[in-house]
């Protein structure tokens, strides 16, 4: 029995019982993953697998720290994970363990409070709220997290930090607070790209999908969302940025779910539609080159915040 997550937003959408995927063991550094495509459950490798190598998937989110993973696995699956990554983590040598050395004794309590905060945030995400309400909630998250670390606040890259930021990015998008959503998306691109998730993970595809939606709203509804603040001063050409992001998104979806998947076909359709719109203005090669060139300007803007 496994919890199933939607491919577009990464939220739990139900549970499934499947004999084939039930044969796969857990690893905190798995070489495969399972996902839903409509009513179909599919398994796919996330990196090259050698002949005779065991195929593993993750039963708990591998981006969480060692003690969190063990605590989740024990009561639900009745084993203590001894995968290679857990062996490295327990010796305090893993990449995340280095960051976690300044944890306070209350770290686990605070992590639990942040998870509860996140679940409330998600539940109330469709309720109408003001920009001030959302700013207050972001401050509240900061306040809860402070007690988890000795020197500074809860780092953005320590879970559930990235999960909460992604929910905020989506909520700001729903509330048409596009520049705030855009900044959070770009921050998450750095965090996810550099973290255990990496750029060949469903999380990477999710954050690109939010980024594409934010930019689409800015480009195709400019009257409702005129650029303001620092973004308007940069003169960053948003249509080009949106196109570059769409190219990256379509590539990421193909790499993740396979060129024959429904997701890849949908992403290609979106890209084709956008390219046809833009092609009226410039040649195909010029279009791609221009998109890629402008993309870095946006990251510079986000960095300067
Ligand atoms: Zn493990």
């Amino acid at each position: 029995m496994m919890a199933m997550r939607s491919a577009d937003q990464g939220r739990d959408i139900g549970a499934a019982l499947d004999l084939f995927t039930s044969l796969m063991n857990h690893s905190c550094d798995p070489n495969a993953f399972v996902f839903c495509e409509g009513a179909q459950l599919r398994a796919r490798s996330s990196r090259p697998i050698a002949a005779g190598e065991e195929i593993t998937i993750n039963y708990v989110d591998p981006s969480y720290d060692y003690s969190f993973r063990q605590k989740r696995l024990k009561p639900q699956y009745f084993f203590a994970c001894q995968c290679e990554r857990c062996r490295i983590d327990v010796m305090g040598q893993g990449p995340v363990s280095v960051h976690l050395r300044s944890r306070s004794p209350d770290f686990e309590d605070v992590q639990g409070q942040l998870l509860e905060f996140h679940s409330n945030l998600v539940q109330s995400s469709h309720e109408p709220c003001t920009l001030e309400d959302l700013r207050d909630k972001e401050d509240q998250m900061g306040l809860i997290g402070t007690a988890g670390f000795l020197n500074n606040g809860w780092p953005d890259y320590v879970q559930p930090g990235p999960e909460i930021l992604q929910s905020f990015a989506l909520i700001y998008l729903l509330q048409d607070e596009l520049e705030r959503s855009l900044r959070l998306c770009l921050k998450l691109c750095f965090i996810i790209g550099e973290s255990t998730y990496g750029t060949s993970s469903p999380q990477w595809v999710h954050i690109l999908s939010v980024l594409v939606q934010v930019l689409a709203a800015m480009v195709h509804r400019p009257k409702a969302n005129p650029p303001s603040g620092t973004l308007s001063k940069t003169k960053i050409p948003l249509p080009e940025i949106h196109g570059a992001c769409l190219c990256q998104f379509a590539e990421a979806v193909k790499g993740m779910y396979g060129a024959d998947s429904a997701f890849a076909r949908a992403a290609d359709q979106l890209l084709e539609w956008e390219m046809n719109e833009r092609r009226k203005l410039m040649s195909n090669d010029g279009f791609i080159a221009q998109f890629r060139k402008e993309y870095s300007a946006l990251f510079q803007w986000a960095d300067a915040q």
Side-chain angles (χ1 to χ4, degrees):
M1 180 74 83
M2 55 179 66
M4 297 316 306
R5 307 200 110 192
S6 70
D8 57 341
Q9 296 190 351
R11 304 210 186 288
D12 285 340
I13 50 171
L17 183 62
D18 182 76
L19 290 178
F20 171 64
T21 47
S22 301
L23 294 172
M24 294 183 202
N25 281 326
H26 164 86
S27 165
C28 302
D29 184 21
N31 55 22
F33 66 103
V34 289
F35 64 99
C36 278
E37 192 176 273
Q40 260 194 337
L41 191 62
R42 296 182 64 178
R44 200 173 147 80
S45 63
S46 50
R47 57 178 150 87
I49 301 173
E53 187 186 340
E54 183 180 4
I55 297 173
T56 52
I57 56 175
N58 59 285
Y59 298 173
V60 293
D61 188 336
S63 67
Y64 275 82
D65 51 282
Y66 172 79
S67 58
F68 179 93
R69 300 197 304 269
Q70 297 288 354
K71 269 197 187 150
R72 285 286 160 112
L73 289 168
K74 204 65 189 262
Q76 206 177 342
Y77 300 98
F78 311 104
F79 70 92
C81 185
Q82 294 180 328
C83 73
E84 183 60 22
R85 202 179 133 215
C86 281
R87 276 203 288 269
I88 292 172
D89 279 354
V90 83
M91 290 188 289
Q93 291 169 348
V96 175
S97 308
V98 175
H99 304 305
L100 293 180
R101 274 184 201 143
S102 60
R103 282 181 299 187
S104 80
D106 297 327
F107 174 83
E108 283 181 21
D109 266 0
V110 175
Q111 192 176 46
Q113 287 169 37
L114 283 174
L115 286 166
E116 201 183 319
F117 169 84
H118 186 213
S119 126
N120 292 334
L121 182 73
V122 171
Q123 271 168 28
S124 63
S125 62
H126 287 274
E127 289 166 14
C129 64
T130 64
L131 185 57
E132 283 73 41
D133 291 339
L134 286 174
R135 296 274 178 178
D136 282 352
K137 282 184 184 174
E138 275 198 81
D139 289 346
Q140 205 185 330
M141 173 199 170
L143 280 175
I144 297 171
T146 308
F149 280 79
L150 293 174
N151 304 320
N152 301 306
W154 192 277
D156 288 333
Y157 50 81
V158 173
Q159 286 287 22
E163 279 189 356
I164 299 177
L165 289 183
Q166 180 148 341
S167 292
F168 269 122
L170 264 174
I171 296 169
Y172 277 113
L173 170 64
L174 288 172
Q175 301 290 335
D176 256 355
E177 292 293 342
L178 301 180
E179 286 192 25
R180 181 71 194 139
S181 181
L182 180 61
R183 275 168 54 190
L184 286 175
C185 287
L186 294 169
K187 192 186 219 178
L188 279 159
C189 284
F190 282 116
I191 294 173
I192 293 171
E194 308 266 301
S195 73
T196 348
Y197 286 135
T199 51
S200 45
S201 64
Q203 285 75 12
W204 179 249
V205 174
H206 296 154
I207 195 57
L208 286 184
S209 81
V210 184
L211 186 54
V212 164
Q213 290 176 65
V214 176
L215 290 167
M218 285 178 155
V219 170
H220 295 296
R221 294 190 287 122
K223 282 200 183 118
N225 306 288
S228 63
T230 52
L231 188 59
S232 64
K233 291 195 192 96
T234 60
K235 309 246 182 316
I236 291 172
L238 289 176
E240 278 76 9
I241 296 289
H242 178 223
C245 186
L246 260 177
C247 291
Q248 193 142 347
F249 173 63
E251 272 173 38
V253 171
K254 247 178 244 172
M256 190 77 224
Y257 299 106
D260 62 333
S261 66
F263 305 128
R265 286 197 298 275
D268 267 347
Q269 265 173 17
L270 203 61
L271 182 61
E272 205 180 304
W273 181 84
E274 190 71 32
M275 282 177 83
N276 282 335
E277 287 295 300
R278 303 294 304 160
R279 230 181 253 140
K280 290 169 195 162
L281 304 175
M282 65 175 88
S283 76
N284 213 7
D285 288 348
F287 161 89
I288 302 271
Q290 177 84 356
F291 273 6
R292 295 203 187 284
K293 196 183 96 205
E294 305 293 357
Y295 203 45
S296 62
L298 189 68
F299 277 94
Q300 279 165 17
W301 165 76
D303 247 3
Q305 298 300 304

